[in-house]
């Protein structure tokens, strides 16, 4: 065998001999522990030889537009199907290599900033031809170099002399893969390690780059059948990714891996990927929150969400969180009833949560107050859920009690973010997300909003005790930001059955604005409120925008301003709900977060406008006459109710 780094001169005849391997690697021999250790040590040291032009490798991997890696067939065969996948995806090239047509490995690494790979190019310059040496005195082509030929374009190969090339390859393939990622794949094949695992980025840009490299390495490892690396990468995503790259990059990695499922080439790899994404990556509360509070949660397929909600180790403190996750998944109100019912089969009710589940179904209009189902074919699947046959034998999950002490504060803060407090006068009587709101009562968000970003809340108002919404009932849904300071929308029924109006109302305005209209049912209406809090301006004023969204279209939006001191040091912004004109009646209110906490460019609620074709002007006079008598009374009552804050 020729030593690494030594270039043979012309005239020396080299007989083709196989690479000498330990006895444990020869076919039919019994492997021992000592020989395996020697084999591993030898393959580790030979990794640096793949970059040398005079290396002993016989299997060439040519990067498209990049350098050539001279690998060793016997080592590649130990990794399983890697060498077969290179032959499958690569393009067969001639065995002889023209060094002038292949970029220098060292120059290519420097040009692309592969600093971690430059450390592996020790003694690289010794393997280069004389014309590439720094001591070359403008010499021409070396006539004694291996493979040199006197053939030219005029005479061709007639009477031409060609020197023997001892560095020709047994096979050479051109692959369309990133050079750095292929080098790391080969590092793992030779040494059983990868440099990306040792990186600990501190800047956001470095975290994003590491996340993208890890995702691409996972795709390449699965494509080229490097199974041990694929398993190690999935373990990294499930157990270390969140700590290394942070919440935002972890969520990006989760949704990229979920999308990668459709392009996995082998069923075994797909099952491993699903197990990691639905299990390990959702095993802790922090990772679970990062995924489920992301706006992309609503884009997941129903099969994937079903597998996630069926996971026994899902880090939730109560089964009622499953209902919130289903609401968030249907944030755009574009899911079919049978898909939502399919996810409701994942709910495991107990004696404490059964009534909450019934209230949720009643507010959705899928269950009558007397406990009977409407005669709708799509809702017949609810019978098995209500009678408990679907969840039979499955215990409700309360895995949040097993978190560490350091995670309890974060979990409690997450719970407070979605809790509203029910006040009767000035006395708090209940908390949660579903309420029956009466006269002189209000709902207030527990923790105020104090940061810039987007919050989107789903509001469902209903009165299942009557067939039609009482025209006297009006509900204010909006924000309060201090004593006697509020901004929001006044929701009420119109003269047309199933048509509701929303009017912007502010503490600084004497009367509501012109109404915008949306559709509901006879006794129920559902819409989203999107709050955009912008970054403070130079004059320390914070501009806010509150939008009403129906069927994923913006019905109306209004802007208002508050001071930076109010947002950061004062009372902040708190969602609140107040009803007027109820007398002895009640209105059922259900609130759920469907997005929030992210930058505005990631969660833009404004996607269009809504136009109605029916003649609203025909009923304008009649509506004015009906409300003229109670306009002053209702507004005064509403102002008094809001002043209780």
């Amino acid at each position: 065998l020729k030593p690494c780094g030594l270039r043979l001169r012309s005239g020396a005849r080299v007989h083709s001999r196989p690479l000498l391997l330990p006895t444990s690697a020869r076919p039919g021999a019994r492997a021992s522990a000592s020989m395996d250790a020697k084999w591993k040590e030898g393959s580790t040291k030979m990794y640096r030889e793949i970059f040398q032009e005079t290396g002993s490798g016989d299997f060439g991997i040519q990067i498209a537009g990049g350098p050539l890696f001279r690998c060793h067939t016997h080592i590649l065969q130990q990794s399983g199907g890697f060498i077969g996948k290179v032959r499958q995806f690569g393009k067969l090239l001639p065995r002889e290599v023209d060094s002038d047509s292949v970029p220098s490995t060292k120059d290519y690494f420097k040009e692309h900033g592969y600093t971690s790979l430059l450390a592996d190019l020790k003694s690289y310059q010794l393997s280069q031809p004389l014309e590439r040496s720094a001591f070359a005195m403008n010499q021409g082509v070396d006539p004694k170099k291996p493979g040199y030929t006197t053939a030219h374009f005029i005479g061709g190969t007639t009477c031409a002399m060609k020197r023997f090339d001892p560095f020709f390859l047994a096979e050479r393939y051109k692959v369309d893969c990133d050079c750095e990622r292929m080098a790391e794949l080969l590092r793992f094949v030779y040494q059983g390690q990868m440099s990306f695992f040792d990186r600990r980025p501190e800047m956001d840009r470095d975290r994003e780059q590491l996340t993208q490299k890890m995702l691409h390495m996972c795709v390449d490892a699965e494509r080229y059948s490097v199974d041990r690396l694929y398993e190690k990468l999935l373990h990294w995503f499930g157990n270390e990714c969140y700590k290394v790259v942070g919440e935002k990059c972890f969520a990006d990695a989760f949704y990229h891996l979920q999308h990668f499922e459709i392009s996995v080439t082998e069923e075994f790899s797909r099952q491993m990927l699903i197990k990691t994404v639905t299990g390990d990556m959702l095993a802790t509360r922090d990772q679970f929150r990062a995924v489920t509070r992301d706006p992309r949660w609503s884009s997941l397929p129903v099969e994937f969400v079903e597998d996630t909600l069926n996971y026994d180790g899902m880090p939730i403190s109560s089964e009622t969180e499953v209902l919130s996750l289903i609401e968030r998944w249907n944030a755009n109100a574009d899911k079919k009833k049978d898909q939502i019912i399919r996810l409701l089969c994942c709910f495991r009710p107990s004696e404490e949560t059964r009534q909450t589940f019934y209230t949720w179904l009643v507010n959705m209009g899928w269950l009558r107050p007397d406990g009977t189902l409407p005669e709708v074919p799509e809702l017949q699947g609810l019978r098995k859920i209500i009678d408990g046959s679907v969840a039979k034998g499955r215990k409700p999950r309360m895995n949040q009690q097993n978190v560490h002490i350091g995670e309890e504060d974060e979990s409690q803060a997450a719970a407070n973010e979605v809790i509203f407090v029910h006040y009767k006068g000035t006395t708090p009587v209940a908390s949660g997300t579903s309420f029956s709101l009466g006269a002189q009562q209000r709902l207030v968000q527990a923790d105020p909003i104090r940061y810039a970003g987007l919050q989107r809340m789903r509001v469902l108002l209903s009165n299942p005790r009557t067939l039609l919404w009482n025209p006297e009932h009006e509900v204010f849904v909006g924000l309060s930001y201090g004593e006697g300071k509020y901004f929001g929308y006044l929701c009420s029924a119109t003269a047309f059955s199933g048509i509701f109006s929303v009017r912007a109302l502010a503490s600084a305005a004497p009367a509501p604005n012109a109404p915008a209209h949306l559709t509901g049912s006879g006794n129920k209406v559902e819409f989203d409120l999107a709050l955009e809090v912008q970054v403070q301006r130079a004059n320390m004023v914070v501009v806010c925008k509150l939008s009403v969204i129906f069927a994923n279209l913006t019905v109306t939006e209004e802007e208002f301003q508050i001071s930076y001191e109010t947002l950061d040091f004062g009372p902040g912004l708190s969602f609140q709900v107040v009803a007027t004109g109820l007398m002895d009646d009640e209105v059922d209110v259900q609130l759920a977060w469907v997005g929030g906490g992210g930058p505005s460019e990631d969660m833009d609620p404004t996607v269009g406008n809504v136009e109605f074709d029916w003649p609203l002007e025909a009923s304008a006079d009649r509506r004015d006459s009906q409300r003229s008598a109670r306009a002053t009374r209702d507004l005064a009552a509403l102002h008094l109710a809001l002043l209780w804050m």
Side-chain angles (χ1 to χ4, degrees), residues 1 59 105 190 251 301 357 433 505 540:
L1 290 177
F59 189 90
T105 305
Y190 277 78
F357 178 61
T433 56
L505 179 64
M540 304 306 290

Side-chain angles (χ1 to χ4, degrees), residues 389-635:
S389 59
V390 173
K392 187 177 181 180
R394 298 190 298 174
K395 296 182 179 180
R397 290 157 291 190
M398 300 180 64
N399 301 320
Q400 190 57 25
Q401 296 178 352
N402 299 326
V403 299
H404 300 290
I405 296 177
E407 298 177 352
E408 292 180 356
D409 297 337
E410 294 292 335
S411 302
Q412 185 63 33
N416 291 337
E417 290 179 1
V418 299
I419 288 182
F420 289 80
V421 181
H422 185 187
Y423 287 92
K424 287 186 177 180
T426 58
T427 304
V429 295
S431 63
T433 56
S434 298
F435 309 91
S436 292
L437 192 62
Q440 298 184 354
Q441 300 177 14
R442 70 188 190 280
L443 309 177
V444 182
Q445 184 181 355
D447 287 344
I449 300 170
R450 298 187 179 277
Y451 49 87
L454 274 177
Q455 304 283 340
R456 182 166 172 174
M457 181 181 66
R458 177 152 299 172
V459 181
L460 191 149
L461 308 175
S462 63
N463 189 359
R465 290 163 288 275
T466 60
L467 295 178
L468 295 176
W469 186 278
N470 191 337
E472 298 290 331
H473 296 170
E474 294 183 324
V475 181
F476 173 84
V477 183
L479 298 154
S480 64
Y481 51 95
E483 184 177 357
K485 299 178 181 179
Y486 54 87
F487 185 90
Y489 293 94
L490 197 61
C491 181
S492 59
T494 65
F496 298 94
S497 178
I499 306 300
F500 291 79
S501 67
V502 287
R503 297 174 292 163
L505 179 64
S507 56
N513 288 357
H517 298 86
L518 48 88
T519 58
S521 62
N523 58 1
K524 183 180 69 173
V525 63
E526 180 179 2
F527 57 90
D528 290 357
L529 273 184
L531 171 64
E532 177 185 352
V533 181
Q534 301 179 6
V535 180
Q536 69 273 13
R537 298 181 178 179
N539 57 357
M540 304 306 290
V541 171
V542 179
V543 178
C544 305
K545 181 188 297 184
L546 189 63
S547 308
V548 175
I549 302 175
F550 176 74
N552 207 30
L553 299 174
T554 301
V555 178
T556 181
E557 58 184 12
E558 297 288 343
E559 291 185 354
F560 64 100
Q561 297 180 352
I562 61 174
S563 64
Y564 176 72
E565 290 77 9
T566 300
L567 181 66
D568 200 15
F569 308 105
L573 290 169
S574 300
F575 281 97
Q576 72 170 354
V577 181
V578 180
T580 63
L582 297 182
M583 302 300 290
D584 296 332
D585 296 333
E586 290 183 340
V587 173
D588 291 347
V589 181
Q590 184 175 358
L591 307 172
W593 294 109
V594 293
S600 58
E601 60 267 22
D602 292 339
M603 297 178 296
D604 190 358
T606 306
V607 295
N609 296 317
V610 168
E611 296 180 358
F612 296 94
D613 298 330
W614 53 79
L616 296 177
E617 295 82 359
S619 61
D621 296 338
R622 182 171 58 178
R623 291 296 297 160
D624 292 341
S625 62
Q626 289 177 347
R627 295 190 178 183
S628 59
R630 55 184 171 87
T632 305
R633 171 176 55 83
D634 288 348
L635 288 176

Side-chain angles (χ1 to χ4, degrees), residues 256-450:
H256 278 86
L257 287 176
Q258 190 279 325
H259 183 71
F260 172 54
E261 176 192 348
I262 62 177
S263 58
V264 174
T265 58
E266 298 179 3
E267 180 62 23
F268 175 74
S269 301
R270 192 180 73 87
Q271 293 300 329
M272 290 179 57
L273 178 63
I274 294 177
K275 181 180 178 181
T276 300
V277 175
T278 60
D280 295 342
M281 296 190 74
L282 300 177
T284 66
R285 181 70 179 186
D286 291 337
Q287 297 178 182
F288 187 77
R289 287 182 56 208
V291 172
T292 57
R293 292 180 65 85
D294 193 278
R296 289 168 289 187
W297 173 258
S298 61
S299 64
L300 294 176
V302 62
E303 297 82 7
F304 183 86
V305 179
E306 183 181 20
D307 292 340
T308 302
L309 299 183
N310 275 325
Y311 178 48
D312 292 333
M314 188 166 54
I316 56 177
S317 58
S318 173
E319 279 291 326
T320 55
E321 292 191 40
V322 175
L323 302 179
S324 299
L325 293 174
I326 296 175
E327 280 280 355
R328 196 171 297 163
W329 179 71
N330 191 31
N332 297 328
D334 57 347
K335 307 302 188 296
K336 299 179 181 179
K337 290 184 177 63
D338 57 343
Q339 293 179 336
I340 299 178
I341 294 175
R342 180 177 176 179
L343 296 183
L344 288 176
C345 294
C346 304
F347 182 76
R348 307 174 187 179
S350 61
E351 296 299 330
E352 293 79 9
T353 61
R354 193 178 303 276
Q355 185 58 42
T356 303
F357 178 61
Y358 288 162
T359 304
W360 192 88
L361 293 177
V362 171
N363 292 333
M364 290 289 292
W366 294 358
L367 186 68
R368 297 191 181 98
D370 57 0
T372 59
L373 289 173
E375 296 299 329
V376 179
E378 297 177 341
L379 301 179
Q380 297 309 309
L382 287 174
R383 297 186 184 275
K384 295 182 179 180
I385 304 177
I386 295 175
D387 60 21
S389 59
V390 173
K392 187 177 181 180
R394 298 190 298 174
K395 296 182 179 180
R397 290 157 291 190
M398 300 180 64
N399 301 320
Q400 190 57 25
Q401 296 178 352
N402 299 326
V403 299
H404 300 290
I405 296 177
E407 298 177 352
E408 292 180 356
D409 297 337
E410 294 292 335
S411 302
Q412 185 63 33
N416 291 337
E417 290 179 1
V418 299
I419 288 182
F420 289 80
V421 181
H422 185 187
Y423 287 92
K424 287 186 177 180
T426 58
T427 304
V429 295
S431 63
T433 56
S434 298
F435 309 91
S436 292
L437 192 62
Q440 298 184 354
Q441 300 177 14
R442 70 188 190 280
L443 309 177
V444 182
Q445 184 181 355
D447 287 344
I449 300 170
R450 298 187 179 277

